Amino acid sequence: MQIEYVKGKIMEGRQSGFPRQYGPERSDHQPGIPLFPQEATRDLVVTFILVAMMFFLSAFVTPFLGPARGPQLSELIVPDWYLLFSWGLLKVADIFPQFTIGQGTPLKTEFSAAFWGDLLSGIPVIFLLILPFIDRGREARPAKAPVRSAFGLAFLIAWIFTSSLYSIREVVAQRWVSPNGAALIPDFTMKWFFIIPPVLVGLTSYIALRRLGYQPMRRWLVPYVAGLAAIVVAQSAWILFDPAGLGVEARPFTVEIAIALGIIAVPTVAVAAAVLLAPESTARKVSTWAGALGLIGFLAFYGGVAYLDQPRALGWVLSVLWPNMNTLVLIPMFAVLTAWLGTRRPYSTYEYLLNECYQCGKCHTVCPVTKVEDDALGGLNLVYNTFKKQHDGVPLWTCLACDACSAVCPLDIQYSDYILEERAKVHARMAADGGQRE
Amino acid sequence: MLETDQRQVPRSHAEKYELKTIWYWYPLYCLGGISFVAFIVLTITGILLGFFYVPDGRLEIDATSGNLTNPAWRSMLTIMNVIPFGFIIRGMHHWAAHIMIAAVFLHMCRVYFTGAYKKPRELNWLLGVVLMLITVLFGYSGYLLPANALSEGAANIGINMTRASPAIGDQLAILLFGDTNTLSGVYILRWYWVHVFILPLVGTGLMVLHMGLVWLQGVAEPH
Amino acid sequence: MMETEYGPGRTIPHPVMFRVLDAEADDTTIPEIKVEHKSEYAYYPGCVDYYDVEMQFSHMNYGDTNHGIIFDSSIKLLRAVGIQPMILDRSFMKCCGHDQLWQGKVDIFERMRDYNTKIIKMLGVKTLVTSCAEGYRTFRLDYKLDGVRVVHITTFLYERGLRIPPQPETAKRIRVAFQDPCRSGRQMPIDPVYEEPRELVKRVDNADLVELKTFRADAQCCGVAQMMYCNDKTKGLTRKRMDEATEVDADYLLTACPKCLTHFGCLHHENRWQPGEERYTYKVMDITQFLAERLPGDYPTGSNVDTKRKEPPLPGRRG
């Protein structure tokens, strides 16, 4: 028979059945790379590339030396980037109350700014050390552990990014000034950077990651986005309508400021309304458009005011926006971004759930059908065949749906549910094609 | 590909099933190796620099120009200007240090986000955190040594932070920096010893342990 | 019908029987329902009669596997614990639809389900007792029977404290093995049935419960599911399972599902053994029959067992 001949040619020199990956009967001797000479060569090449890059940098970018040390403090000293976070924490520690306890005793402890700074720098280390003991879950993948990922991102923003930024607050204050000489991003705003961006990043990433897992996130999304929109509207309204909102010098530029606030607030409110009132697909489209148009609008406004109007106007507009950067720049951005991320189409169900499989092979080992069948081209492992997109074929219909595989699966994947779904789909296809109703 | 029945790296999920994945995921798993390569470079360049560096930070007045100087800083000038290729070796040492710290930090982030610190790898994670601290201390002690204005400022910050510790602050500052202020310059000798002996010894030992644990336990692959 | 490269032995679904059962789904008019006793306890025998017929007319075995006796035994056992169940028989109920669902014929299943659910609600059933593991799973998980408690007969008997009187002293000790059906065991995320049948077997004082090589949640399937195929591969699996019973020297192999009984019985009464090939020497029966035999009293024996036959017939006999 022709089919026998073809099968014979395919199976020439190969074992039948699904390769066994573990144990003494291992049959899948996978081509790995021996250490010598292949892996050694590969590593050597990568190392040489790295060292070559270092040579290049050293030859063309000489590290700074400068004058010798001396008791006079020269201009602003900036430590290397990896210690900026600690320096920033030292500086921000001046918000904490300073006092001394145990004055006059040997255990005198002075809660100075430096001490608070030490404590703050020590918190990440303590957290890192106890981390494996407080997180005992099994889930490794970042997308499936949204709390850990969100918390980690928020932590990074707060303790690394913002504190490094804060450590150069004097430089920032000197470089960016408003037309009346005040700092564009005052100290107060920079201190709020420790709270607002981390919280925003944490909540947004949590919502986005949960959404990947086919969870409807409306219960989180609506209060979050609506709340952020309310903050933006409240802040804009206060700036425009409260007499203390705009400084005297910024008064003449109220129109431009109002336009800027409008460009910021309108997309945010539109997105919040869409999330609250419209179905998900509409909300998704609204947030995409709102984000794109808001960004383009803001850039157009920026360019327009800078080049068509007097440049001083731009300075005054920024002097209103930048001190309120948390509420007028970051919050609108995150509101729109979160609405978009939280209304994305989820993955299809069974493909996504089956993706959890990490091919431990236990299901294949216990499946009774595999003990009596051998398939020429790879075996009757259902997961394997799913990934090869061979749904409709021998594996699907030979399955006994006895769930022996589900019983041993460490990830608790229910294969019989998958079988049910797929078989029903085949029949639906047959019926749709006008086939005989079985 | 040669067939072998020695212990070998199994094909990953993506490779085995020929899945379309983002291939640039995998360089994130090279960060540990990159930091180790950088450490080797640092060791070699450090040994070479050590032939010429003088760990003496005591203030002197230069006879000819009347400027403030010190032997450590002068040895740096020698390395940069006199020693053949000295500036490249110093440059390599400087940049390899930045690369190592960046690689270690990103490696830690990768391990955190992929949950590779979970059972049974808690010990390895603790070793890694300690190594991260050691690496940062390496960097810190490193830029204290050239005895320039940055060293002075950094030493001042360090001394102030140490002195802020309750009860033992001043003694701790004297232990670590040699004095409660930077005037005498004795901190340079202290941190030189930390930089070239204590930290390399402890660091190398812990690195070997860390990599040995990875060898035994396997790389925690994501899915 | 699928033509696969493996030949006609693997066509699905099993032609005649399933066409008959599926055709039932078309007719949704509810006939006049006459039940002997109305009670809040209902017993659903399922398609046991169909399998009797199937076994008789099958050319694979000599047709002695007795399914109808499951019905009789269950009634006897329920009466022994003081229940006169309302019998939901096939004059007004349809097939539960399990096989159709698992073969992918979801619309047929849904029609059967809606029909059966309507009748169950109409009759005011509070407890639905089945002697079939597939029926247990289907009624419990795939039907939405709110307010009705679905229970397998072994669980029900255990809860009601069925007592088996002491056996006569001349009775030998018998080794009894139990096949855990997949549908009532590991496929049930809630209320799986593992211990109750074992407890009931232990109450028979001359019975020693022996465990097969794989049991409880690891029990190997009986070899065929959803009546999808019947070929050398499925026979191979059934044989593997029955070999496990030989290995533990069982005298009885009990099942809690008429389907398992079908497949074990088919191989046990295999019509194609060559002369000289070893048959299985132990008895295969449903657990309800086993228990009911050990209760005092009579009940009509099954219809298609030839009580006069002492030896298996020669191979090749058509049932």
Side-chain angles (χ1 to χ4, degrees):
Chain A
M1 256 181 32
Q2 183 70 5
I3 188 74
E4 297 293 340
Y5 171 73
V6 168
K7 271 203 222 167
K9 292 299 289 180
I10 294 170
M11 288 307 289
E12 230 167 62
R14 281 171 58 171
Q15 273 182 311
S16 68
F18 195 69
R20 244 191 113 67
Q21 277 192 305
Y22 308 98
E25 294 130 39
R26 181 172 182 182
S27 68
D28 76 327
H29 295 292
Q30 293 190 34
I33 311 178
L35 180 62
F36 190 82
Q38 283 84 345
E39 181 67 31
T41 316
R42 195 174 78 133
D43 291 343
L44 220 50
V45 168
V46 172
T47 309
F48 280 151
I49 291 177
L50 254 180
V51 172
M53 289 201 295
M54 286 182 212
F55 260 120
F56 184 83
L57 276 171
S58 333
F60 292 106
V61 188
T62 313
F64 184 69
L65 185 58
R69 60 173 276 262
Q72 77 287 357
L73 279 171
S74 55
E75 75 280 353
L76 185 69
I77 321 259
V78 181
D80 275 358
W81 59 273
Y82 42 89
L83 282 176
L84 282 181
F85 80 96
S86 181
W87 205 31
L89 289 172
L90 261 183
K91 289 190 183 175
V92 86
D94 59 16
I95 60 170
F96 291 109
Q98 301 186 11
F99 52 88
T100 316
I101 56 171
Q103 181 80 322
T105 67
L107 290 175
K108 172 175 101 136
T109 312
E110 195 181 319
F111 278 74
S112 59
F115 183 60
W116 283 114
D118 279 349
L119 283 181
L120 284 177
S121 299
I123 289 178
V125 180
I126 307 281
F127 167 68
L128 286 175
L129 286 174
I130 59 171
L131 176 67
F133 306 104
I134 51 178
D135 181 7
R136 299 304 269 173
R138 274 173 41 185
E139 188 49 66
R141 289 160 290 180
K144 297 302 247 6
V147 176
R148 179 181 86 221
S149 307
F151 193 71
L153 283 173
F155 201 80
L156 277 178
I157 300 281
W159 248 272
I160 307 292
F161 187 70
T162 309
S163 14
S164 306
L165 202 64
Y166 193 76
S167 65
I168 51 169
R169 64 179 172 181
E170 293 89 359
V171 172
V172 171
Q174 276 175 355
R175 283 283 179 89
W176 291 352
V177 287
S178 66
N180 64 354
L184 255 190
I185 308 186
D187 189 52
F188 173 76
T189 308
M190 293 195 79
K191 284 209 166 85
W192 272 104
F193 277 171
F194 276 93
I195 313 250
I196 306 279
V199 168
L200 288 176
V201 164
L203 284 173
T204 300
S205 40
Y206 178 75
I207 291 177
L209 288 173
R210 284 280 307 256
R211 181 61 183 168
L212 280 183
Y214 197 33
Q215 309 281 349
M217 289 307 287
R218 250 188 95 79
R219 245 188 307 155
W220 282 80
L221 209 49
V222 166
Y224 183 55
V225 175
L228 292 182
I231 294 176
V232 170
V233 167
Q235 176 81 330
S236 315
W238 181 79
I239 288 177
L240 286 177
F241 299 117
D242 189 300
L246 278 180
V248 160
E249 297 144 313
R251 241 6 106 82
F253 304 99
T254 311
V255 172
E256 287 94 341
I257 292 172
I259 295 177
L261 290 176
I263 293 179
I264 289 170
V266 163
T268 317
V269 171
V271 155
V275 163
L276 184 61
L277 300 168
E280 251 185 28
S281 46
T282 317
R284 182 174 58 242
K285 294 193 190 87
V286 167
S287 48
T288 320
W289 278 108
L293 289 176
L295 196 61
I296 294 173
F298 192 74
L299 290 173
F301 165 81
Y302 205 90
V305 170
Y307 293 108
L308 301 179
D309 212 346
Q310 320 98 301
R312 273 183 69 233
L314 184 63
W316 285 110
V317 170
L318 293 182
S319 79
V320 168
L321 285 183
W322 270 199
N324 297 304
M325 195 184 238
N326 287 306
T327 47
L328 292 181
V329 177
L330 292 178
I331 285 187
M333 272 169 47
F334 274 92
V336 174
L337 186 66
T338 314
W340 184 76
L341 287 170
T343 48
R344 287 197 302 174
R345 256 179 242 107
Y347 295 147
S348 83
T349 49
Y350 261 97
E351 296 286 317
Y352 183 71
L353 290 173
L354 275 177
N355 237 331
E356 298 205 10
C357 167
Y358 49 59
Q359 296 88 52
C360 65
K362 291 177 91 165
C363 58
H364 184 80
T365 315
V366 301
C367 175
V369 184
T370 57
K371 303 201 181 358
V372 290
E373 293 278 1
D374 38 41
D375 190 89
L377 291 175
L380 280 168
N381 183 307
L382 294 164
V383 181
Y384 181 81
N385 283 284
T386 308
F387 284 122
K388 292 286 187 183
K389 305 282 188 247
Q390 287 170 4
H391 295 172
D392 186 32
V394 169
L396 182 63
W397 298 101
T398 330
C399 172
L400 302 177
C402 68
D403 258 341
C405 46
S406 312
V408 294
C409 177
L411 288 163
D412 222 13
I413 301 179
Q414 300 296 316
Y415 291 124
S416 48
D417 291 348
Y418 177 74
I419 293 290
L420 259 180
E421 228 184 70
E422 286 299 316
R423 286 180 182 170
K425 273 195 218 162
V426 169
H427 276 277
R429 275 200 289 274
M430 273 164 52
D433 286 342
Q436 281 271 321
R437 203 199 68 223
E438 281 288 322
Chain B
M1 302 281 190
L2 298 181
E3 280 230 4
T4 164
D5 54 17
Q6 303 299 315
R7 184 194 163 110
Q8 50 196 308
V9 176
R11 282 213 208 121
S12 69
H13 176 174
E15 281 179 287
K16 198 159 31 152
Y17 294 105
E18 298 150 20
L19 294 181
K20 287 172 82 136
T21 65
I22 41 174
W23 64 270
Y24 47 82
W25 175 251
Y26 293 100
L28 285 175
Y29 279 69
C30 304
L31 288 164
I34 290 176
S35 69
F36 186 62
V37 167
F39 184 68
I40 302 290
V41 171
L42 284 168
T43 309
I44 296 173
T45 51
I47 291 173
L48 291 172
L49 287 171
F51 279 114
F52 303 104
Y53 175 77
V54 175
D56 183 357
R58 283 171 298 183
L59 294 168
E60 295 170 355
I61 305 276
D62 183 49
T64 40
S65 60
N67 290 332
L68 211 50
T69 180
N70 58 67
W73 188 79
R74 280 206 302 276
S75 69
M76 293 301 298
L77 282 185
T78 314
I79 289 174
M80 297 288 285
N81 301 322
V82 178
I83 308 294
F85 302 114
F87 69 103
I88 291 190
I89 298 183
R90 185 194 169 213
M92 291 273 282
H93 197 84
H94 175 95
W95 289 112
H98 282 263
I99 288 175
M100 182 180 177
I101 298 180
V104 166
F105 175 68
L106 290 174
H107 174 74
M108 185 178 76
C109 288
R110 194 279 295 164
V111 172
Y112 172 81
F113 281 107
T114 55
Y117 54 82
K118 288 180 195 273
K119 189 164 130 132
R121 296 183 172 86
E122 301 100 326
L123 178 62
N124 220 9
W125 169 261
L126 292 177
L127 281 178
V129 173
V130 173
L131 278 170
M132 170 91 220
L133 293 172
I134 287 180
T135 311
V136 169
L137 274 178
F138 254 123
Y140 177 70
S141 54
Y143 67 74
L144 286 184
L145 298 184
N148 56 10
L150 174 60
S151 315
E152 187 77 4
N156 266 315
I157 299 176
I159 289 179
N160 284 333
M161 285 181 78
T162 316
R163 290 183 69 195
S165 312
I168 51 166
D170 284 345
Q171 277 89 339
L172 196 58
I174 293 176
L175 171 67
L176 292 176
F177 289 88
D179 201 350
T180 48
N181 57 57
T182 57
L183 191 60
S184 56
V186 85
Y187 65 88
I188 292 193
L189 182 58
R190 292 264 154 138
W191 283 95
Y192 173 75
W193 186 237
V194 169
H195 189 89
V196 307
F197 184 72
I198 301 178
L199 286 179
L201 187 67
V202 175
T204 310
L206 290 183
M207 269 182 230
V208 168
L209 271 177
H210 189 78
M211 292 189 277
L213 269 176
V214 172
W215 182 265
L216 291 173
Q217 291 184 317
V219 176
E221 201 186 290
H223 289 91
Chain C
M1 304 288 229
M2 257 175 67
E3 267 299 288
T4 74
E5 55 188 11
Y6 295 92
R10 304 182 66 152
T11 54
I12 44 107
H14 199 275
V16 173
M17 186 169 79
F18 273 94
R19 287 190 188 277
V20 171
L21 282 174
D22 293 350
E24 279 187 357
D26 290 341
D27 181 8
T28 52
T29 51
I30 300 181
E32 206 192 315
I33 301 179
K34 286 210 229 3
V35 286
E36 281 192 33
H37 327 269
K38 237 180 150 352
S39 156
E40 55 160 343
Y41 297 98
Y43 169 64
Y44 179 78
C47 40
V48 287
D49 289 332
Y50 268 78
Y51 290 107
D52 263 355
V53 173
E54 185 64 25
M55 299 307 275
Q56 272 210 294
F57 286 100
S58 158
H59 58 282
M60 303 286 281
N61 60 79
Y62 57 85
D64 268 6
T65 308
N66 191 352
H67 289 75
I69 206 166
I70 299 178
F71 175 78
D72 299 319
S73 314
S74 304
I75 299 294
K76 180 175 177 186
L77 289 168
L78 287 172
R79 287 197 187 136
V81 292
I83 307 277
Q84 282 282 16
M86 178 163 58
I87 298 172
L88 303 177
D89 69 38
R90 292 187 38 74
S91 61
F92 55 88
M93 290 285 277
K94 295 197 197 294
C95 173
C96 71
H98 170 275
D99 286 347
Q100 286 76 0
L101 174 67
W102 284 92
Q103 286 168 9
K105 301 186 281 204
V106 177
D107 55 339
I108 294 181
F109 167 73
E110 281 174 359
R111 270 179 279 160
M112 289 177 169
R113 177 188 67 189
D114 296 336
Y115 177 90
N116 285 339
T117 312
K118 235 191 299 182
I119 298 207
I120 292 175
K121 290 282 158 60
M122 239 169 62
L123 292 174
V125 175
K126 289 279 172 289
T127 309
L128 181 61
V129 181
T130 79
S131 48
C132 174
E134 292 187 336
Y136 175 56
R137 182 235 145 85
T138 310
F139 283 116
R140 191 74 205 274
L141 297 183
D142 302 314
Y143 281 46
K144 305 258 179 303
L145 293 171
D146 301 318
V148 180
R149 181 182 175 218
V150 179
V151 70
H152 191 262
I153 191 168
T154 49
T155 313
F156 191 68
L157 294 172
Y158 178 73
E159 282 173 4
R160 293 247 147 192
L162 174 76
R163 290 266 158 257
I164 314 276
Q167 300 301 303
E169 306 216 330
T170 52
K172 310 196 318 257
R173 295 221 54 91
I174 45 175
R175 292 168 67 83
V176 176
F178 181 68
Q179 150 85 349
D180 294 280
C182 56
R183 266 35 184 190
S184 62
R186 55 174 173 260
Q187 266 203 9
M188 293 299 293
I190 36 168
D191 297 335
V193 175
Y194 294 123
E195 303 304 330
E196 293 91 337
R198 294 179 159 81
E199 285 300 311
L200 291 174
V201 168
K202 284 190 201 156
R203 287 184 190 170
V204 177
D205 55 8
N206 68 326
D208 288 325
L209 182 70
V210 295
E211 297 287 4
L212 298 169
K213 189 161 128 192
T214 56
F215 56 97
R216 287 207 182 84
D218 301 321
Q220 196 215 286
C221 178
C222 64
V224 182
Q226 304 96 243
M227 295 306 243
M228 193 77 88
Y229 296 114
C230 179
N231 53 36
D232 51 339
K233 318 282 185 173
T234 64
K235 289 278 186 192
L237 282 175
T238 313
R239 187 187 170 146
K240 263 176 83 84
R241 188 60 170 161
M242 293 183 82
D243 282 347
E244 285 181 20
T246 327
E247 272 171 35
V248 295
D249 286 325
D251 296 311
Y252 284 83
L253 177 59
L254 302 185
T255 76
C257 177
K259 291 281 189 60
C260 290
L261 182 64
T262 307
H263 307 307
F264 289 146
C266 185
L267 191 59
H268 195 274
H269 304 305
E270 168 75 32
N271 212 17
R272 292 184 180 172
W273 292 106
Q274 302 302 318
E277 262 187 327
E278 293 232 347
R279 288 187 172 276
Y280 294 105
T281 50
Y282 52 82
K283 296 208 183 108
V284 176
M285 59 171 67
D286 193 84
I287 191 173
T288 48
Q289 181 185 353
F290 180 75
L291 294 171
E293 275 177 357
R294 280 148 187 80
L295 283 180
D298 271 334
Y299 57 95
T301 56
S303 56
N304 57 338
V305 176
D306 188 353
T307 45
K308 294 198 218 57
R309 186 189 297 131
K310 296 279 178 280
E311 300 239 333
L314 291 170
R317 194 205 101 166
R318 291 197 150 252

